């Protein structure tokens, strides 16, 4: 009998250990936020894609918790933080409880293979602060006349000859061409196209299901990303040689500034690090900024009283200048009402839906445990459309931004905290310069009054936002 007990003792110990482990896991699971894991392997990706982020989040806030709920997206366990308090918690705990995280599909499409498996904080180019300095208002002032001149050229070529234009694709053409000029000093349309065409593949597939098979959006994004990186490496290598040969000490554009700047260790950035930074800025110009411009044009075409207010302000600025005199920083500072209109457009139709983070330790929020290694997501929709913060939230009302404006952490189209979008001021200037030039020339009328918005990387008008152009009488 003793021999029998001795023989089964290891098995009993093993079973007891397994029971305790799974019991502990079960008890831990009960402490995480309520929610759904969705389907095996798929999670809730299909529901998120079909419903769109706003409906998806709103339904689960109502069903599970208005503060935080769990889901499974992009193959990851994820906690969705909601409301102003959720935004504040994530923004103020950056680099304390959380770190940056990109979906694998996005990293593989955008970054060099050497960086794909790295934590983003280990990708040296992505933790530099120099581009924050380069994109500060003081540094951007000199770009305003360039933005104005290119906007005039764009409207002359692509808007004025036509009675109807599709705003979204044309805004992509303009914002990307402007980025190529300001960041890389590239103005040749054919050269711009060699970057723009593969960029379209990248942005269409960087949030797709990561299935690398021929014909999938993910596969096309990876191929597009490689084409972009290869072209940028040629541009960067050539420019570095020019800077050395000419003994240049001042940057003629963003690329030259990056090649001349040294990091906190006194080292120059590598070509791959510079490419990663340029790609991030070009993606924002190709997708996010063009989406912001489209949103503003949509409301100007839809709401005549808003358009008239913007027109009045912009014509007063125009009358103070000569016919060929370009815009300046002082002119931009006078565009108070126009910027309130732009901000209200961004509240209702934000270009970016939110951002991901990864937890670096277990922590508690709203009474729930968020385990280490989980991914988090904050979304603009839990505050932008919340009547608690914005009464009658579906009504377009620029006066919301007068005086002190919205409460902290409620208006977050550019994020917040250490990771707030460094291109915020660049986007403001680009949108206002474009508004100035469009309203001075045309009155807009939507060709499809109730055009559906589809969510890809950014909210996209189903038919590209076609508008009728009515030129002003001179």
């Amino acid at each position: 009998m003793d021999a029998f007990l001795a023989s089964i003792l290891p098995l009993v110990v093993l079973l007891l250990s397994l029971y305790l482990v799974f019991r502990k896991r079960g008890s831990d699971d009960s402490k995480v936020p309520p929610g759904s894991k969705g389907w095996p392997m798929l999670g809730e990706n299909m529901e998120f894609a079909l419903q769109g982020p706003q409906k998806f989040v709103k339904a689960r806030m109502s069903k599970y918790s208005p503060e935080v709920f769990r889901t499974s997206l992009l193959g990851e366990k994820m906690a969705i933080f909601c409301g102003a308090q959720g935004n504040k918690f994530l923004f103020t705990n950056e680099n304390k409880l959380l770190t940056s995280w990109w979906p694998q599909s996005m990293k593989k499409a955008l970054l060099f293979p050497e960086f794909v498996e790295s934590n983003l904080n280990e990708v040296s180019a992505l933790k530099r602060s120099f581009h924050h300095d380069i994109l500060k208002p003081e540094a951007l002032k000199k770009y305003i006349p360039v933005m104005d001149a290119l906007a005039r050229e764009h409207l002359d070529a692509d808007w004025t000859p036509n009675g109807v234009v599709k705003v979204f694709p044309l805004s992509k053409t303009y914002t990307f061409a402007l980025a190529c000029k300001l960041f890389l000093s590239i103005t040749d349309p054919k050269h711009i196209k060699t970057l723009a065409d593969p960029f379209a593949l990248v942005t269409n597939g960087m949030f797709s299901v990561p299935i690398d098979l021929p014909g999938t959006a993910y596969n096309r994004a990876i191929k597009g990303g490689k084409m972009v990186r290869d072209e940028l490496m040629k541009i960067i290598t050539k420019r570095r040689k020019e800077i050395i040969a000419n003994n240049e000490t001042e940057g003629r554009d963003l690329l030259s500034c990056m090649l001349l700047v040294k990091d906190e260790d006194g080292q120059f950035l590598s070509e791959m690090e510079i490419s990663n930074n340029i790609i991030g800025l070009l993606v924002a110009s190709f997708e996010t900024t063009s989406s912001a411009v489209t949103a503003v044009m949509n409301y100007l075409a839809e709401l005549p009283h808003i358009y008239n207010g913007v027109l009045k302000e912009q014509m007063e600025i125009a009358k103070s200048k000569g016919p060929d005199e370009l815009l300046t920083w002082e002119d931009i500072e006078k565009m108070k009402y126009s910027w309130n209109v732009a901000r209200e457009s961004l509240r209702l139709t934000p270009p970016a839906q939110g951002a991901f983070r990864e937890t670096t330790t277990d922590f508690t929020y709203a009474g729930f445990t968020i385990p280490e290694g989980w991914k988090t997501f904050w979304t603009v929709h839990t505050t932008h459309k919340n009547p608690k913060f914005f009464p009658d939230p579906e009504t377009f009302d620029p006066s919301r931004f007068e005086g002190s404006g919205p409460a902290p952490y409620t208006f977050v189209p550019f994020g917040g905290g250490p990771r707030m979008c460094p291109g915020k001021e660049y986007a403001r200037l680009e949108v206002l310069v474009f508004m100035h030039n469009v309203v001075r020339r045309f009155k807009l009328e939507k060709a499809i009054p109730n055009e559906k918005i589809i969510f890809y990387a950014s909210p996209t008008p189903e038919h590209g936002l076609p508008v009728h152009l009515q030129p002003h009488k001179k």
Side-chain angles (χ1 to χ4, degrees):
M1 186 67 176
D2 290 343
F4 173 73
L5 289 174
S7 66
I8 67 168
L9 184 60
L11 179 61
V12 171
V13 171
L14 176 62
L15 290 173
L16 182 60
S17 299
L18 289 171
Y19 168 75
L20 291 173
V21 167
F22 282 105
R23 183 180 178 187
K24 183 177 186 300
R25 285 184 179 177
S27 63
D28 286 345
D29 201 53
S30 67
K31 296 178 182 177
V32 301
S36 171
K37 301 175 184 177
W39 296 91
M41 302 292 290
L42 292 175
E44 292 197 291
N45 290 301
M46 291 295 291
E47 293 89 339
F48 189 86
L50 292 172
Q51 295 174 20
Q54 184 176 341
K55 290 182 178 179
F56 178 88
V57 170
K58 185 176 181 180
R60 281 151 184 78
M61 286 177 67
S62 177
K63 184 176 181 180
Y64 299 119
S65 166
E67 297 170 307
V68 60
F69 63 87
R70 72 170 295 180
T71 184
S72 177
L73 295 173
L74 302 169
E76 302 285 348
K77 294 178 180 178
M78 195 166 294
I80 310 293
F81 282 67
C82 308
Q85 287 303 311
N87 293 342
K88 180 180 180 180
F89 183 87
L90 293 182
F91 296 162
T92 56
N93 282 289
E94 181 79 37
N95 302 325
K96 299 174 186 175
L97 305 176
L98 306 119
T99 189
S100 296
W101 181 79
W102 287 1
Q104 190 72 1
S105 57
M106 192 172 178
K107 290 173 69 176
K108 199 164 182 180
L110 294 176
L111 300 179
F112 284 90
E114 292 86 342
F115 293 107
V116 169
E117 298 304 324
S118 302
N119 180 292
L120 288 189
N121 277 353
E122 296 169 359
V123 180
S124 57
L126 295 174
K127 63 180 181 179
R128 309 295 186 194
S129 61
F130 68 86
H131 58 271
H132 287 266
D133 295 328
I134 291 172
L135 294 173
K136 282 181 177 179
E138 310 85 74
L140 290 171
K141 289 180 181 180
K142 62 182 180 182
Y143 293 150
I144 294 170
V146 181
M147 290 180 173
D148 190 17
L150 193 63
R152 296 183 188 194
E153 292 174 17
H154 169 70
L155 294 179
D156 285 340
D158 297 330
W159 288 54
T160 301
N162 302 296
V164 178
V165 297
K166 289 189 174 182
V167 173
F168 187 57
L170 285 180
S171 66
K172 279 193 170 185
T173 300
Y174 166 70
T175 57
F176 195 75
L178 180 62
C180 286
K181 184 169 186 173
L182 295 180
F183 300 165
L184 304 169
S185 295
I186 295 174
T187 56
D188 177 37
K190 290 182 179 179
H191 198 177
I192 293 171
K193 187 175 171 58
T194 62
L195 286 169
D197 287 349
F199 248 102
L201 299 177
V202 172
T203 56
N204 288 338
M206 64 185 181
F207 290 113
S208 61
V209 178
I211 299 175
D212 191 6
L213 294 175
T216 62
Y218 181 58
N219 178 265
R220 290 193 294 270
I222 291 173
K223 290 180 178 177
K226 185 179 185 305
M227 293 166 66
V228 170
R229 292 192 300 272
D230 289 347
E231 183 61 29
L232 280 177
M233 287 298 283
K234 293 177 187 176
I235 295 168
I236 295 167
T237 302
K238 180 183 177 183
R239 180 69 66 82
R240 192 185 286 278
K241 290 178 180 177
E242 290 175 357
I243 287 174
I244 293 172
N246 299 327
N247 197 26
E248 294 179 27
T249 57
E250 291 187 7
R252 69 182 96 154
D253 54 24
L254 193 72
L255 173 57
S256 288
C257 290
M258 288 183 174
L259 284 164
L260 290 167
V261 77
K262 293 182 180 180
D263 64 17
E264 55 267 29
D265 300 319
Q267 301 295 316
F268 288 109
L269 299 178
S270 71
E271 279 84 352
M272 284 194 292
E273 289 175 325
I274 292 170
S275 176
N276 285 339
N277 275 273
I278 294 287
I279 286 174
L281 292 167
L282 289 177
V283 167
S285 297
F286 189 80
E287 196 69 35
T288 313
T289 313
S290 60
S291 181
V293 168
T294 302
V296 173
M297 295 298 116
N298 173 63
Y299 291 110
L300 290 178
E302 187 176 293
L303 304 169
H305 67 290
I306 298 298
Y307 170 88
N308 289 336
V310 172
L311 177 63
K312 180 182 177 182
E313 181 175 78
Q314 296 298 343
M315 290 307 294
E316 288 175 357
I317 293 170
K319 288 174 183 176
S320 69
K321 307 179 72 65
D324 298 321
E325 190 178 351
L326 296 171
L327 290 171
T328 64
W329 175 259
E330 289 70 29
D331 297 321
I332 295 292
E333 289 296 277
K334 296 174 185 176
M335 301 180 186
K336 306 295 186 185
Y337 180 75
S338 297
W339 180 232
N340 286 347
V341 168
R343 285 192 284 184
E344 181 70 342
S345 301
L346 297 178
R347 181 187 71 82
L348 287 166
T349 313
Q353 306 307 298
F356 299 102
R357 299 287 184 269
E358 182 177 17
T359 62
T360 55
T361 184
D362 293 358
F363 61 82
T364 301
Y365 178 77
F368 301 108
T369 298
I370 315 297
E372 179 183 353
W374 272 39
K375 309 306 180 285
T376 68
F377 185 71
W378 64 266
T379 171
V380 291
H381 298 294
T382 62
T383 55
H384 282 202
K385 297 288 187 74
N386 190 328
K388 176 182 176 182
F389 307 121
F390 298 97
D392 197 8
E394 295 296 335
T395 298
F396 193 96
D397 182 7
S399 68
R400 303 178 195 274
F401 295 91
E402 294 174 357
S404 59
Y409 305 105
T410 60
F411 179 65
V412 287
F414 301 102
R419 293 283 172 181
M420 178 178 281
C421 175
K424 174 185 174 182
E425 187 62 24
Y426 175 85
R428 183 178 84 97
L429 298 179
E430 189 167 7
V431 168
L432 288 173
V433 168
F434 199 76
M435 288 174 73
H436 172 81
N437 280 280
V438 169
V439 299
R440 280 188 59 200
R441 296 188 185 210
F442 310 108
K443 182 173 175 59
L444 311 176
E445 182 182 345
K446 292 176 72 171
I448 305 173
N450 298 308
E451 186 174 1
K452 183 180 179 182
I453 299 295
I454 300 170
F455 287 92
Y456 292 120
S458 296
T460 304
E462 186 175 19
H463 301 287
L465 188 61
V467 297
H468 295 284
L469 301 178
Q470 301 173 16
H472 296 309
K473 293 179 182 180
K474 293 186 179 180

